[in-house]
């Protein structure tokens, strides 16, 4: 079994050779995936009506769905980010070094700055901005508190752990 990587309207995904794409992932259209990033099992990354850009060393964990808006913006995901299992990202922007928890939903025009954190299960409604060092949680999500030093230190460790785990899947 191999991942479904397919063009749409003449645009094919550009995937760095060091990226890990799980066998059951789907990557379609105008998508770029940076070095050492991981698209894990059951993910869908669909750049069919706009662009999806994923930076380096970012892990898109199992079951994540990433899509775009045909009228509006694409989805832009920076470097060294962990996106937890079953998250839904739609036409949003994530700066490098932020964190998105499991089952979080980020809607059109939402924005997470470097060092920002969206809690598991949060619903970040259209146009909301999570600023550096803020934790947003709830449905709809709202500012809850400042991110702790321990949480901030965890962000790059989490990204690195997934780079290493992805490498183990490429080894015979």
């Amino acid at each position: 079994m191999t991942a479904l990587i397919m063009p749409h309207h003449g645009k094919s995904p550009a995937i760095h050779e060091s990226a890990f794409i799980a066998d059951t992932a789907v990557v379609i259209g105008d998508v770029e995936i940076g070095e050492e990033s991981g698209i894990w099992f059951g993910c869908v990354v669909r750049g069919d009506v706009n662009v999806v850009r994923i930076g380096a060393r970012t892990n898109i964990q199992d079951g994540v769905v990433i899509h775009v808006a045909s009228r509006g913006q694409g989805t832009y995901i920076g470097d060294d980010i962990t996106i937890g299992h079953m998250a839904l990202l739609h036409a949003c922007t994530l700066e490098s070094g932020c964190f998105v928890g499991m089952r979080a939903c980020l809607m059109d025009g939402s924005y997470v700055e470097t060092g920002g954190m969206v809690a598991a299960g949060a619903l970040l409604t259209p146009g909301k901005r999570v600023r550096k060092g803020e934790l947003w949680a709830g449905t709809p999500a709202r500012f809850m508190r400042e991110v702790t030093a321990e949480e901030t230190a965890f962000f790059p460790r989490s990204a690195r752990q997934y780079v290493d785990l992805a490498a183990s899947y490429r080894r015979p």
Side-chain angles (χ1 to χ4, degrees):
M1 177 181 266
T2 59
L4 175 59
I5 299 171
M6 63 183 281
H8 188 267
H9 289 288
K11 297 199 177 190
S12 295
I15 302 168
H16 192 276
E17 63 185 21
S18 65
F20 169 70
I21 311 297
D23 290 348
T24 57
V26 176
V27 182
I28 300 170
D30 197 351
V31 175
E32 292 179 8
I33 300 171
E35 62 185 276
E36 297 186 298
S37 284
I39 310 299
W40 290 85
F41 300 94
C43 290
V44 175
V45 182
R46 192 157 54 99
D48 53 0
V49 296
N50 210 324
V51 303
V52 176
R53 300 293 181 256
I54 299 169
R57 298 168 307 281
T58 288
N59 63 89
I60 313 295
Q61 295 177 7
D62 308 65
V64 170
V65 173
I66 300 172
H67 196 227
V68 293
S70 60
R71 286 188 223 136
Q73 73 172 62
T75 297
Y76 303 94
I77 301 168
D79 303 331
D80 302 302
I81 298 172
T82 292
I83 299 171
H85 308 284
M86 308 271 307
L88 170 61
L89 281 65
H90 196 271
C92 58
T93 301
L94 305 178
E95 288 185 355
S96 296
C98 65
F99 187 93
V100 176
M102 292 183 277
R103 281 200 175 275
C105 177
L106 284 67
M107 297 178 71
D108 297 37
S110 61
Y111 196 103
V112 183
E113 294 181 6
T114 298
M117 182 176 187
V118 179
L123 171 62
L124 196 59
T125 54
K128 296 295 184 201
R129 187 176 191 104
V130 177
R131 301 207 182 276
K132 181 177 183 166
E134 292 181 348
L135 168 65
W136 282 49
T139 305
R142 60 184 171 78
F143 172 75
M144 299 298 284
R145 62 173 172 79
E146 295 296 321
V147 175
T148 67
E150 182 178 280
E151 289 164 336
T152 299
F154 174 73
F155 296 171
R157 282 197 318 266
S158 175
R160 185 76 241 167
Q161 287 172 335
Y162 269 88
V163 166
D164 295 342
L165 183 59
S168 77
Y169 276 82
R170 285 191 297 272
R171 286 187 213 112

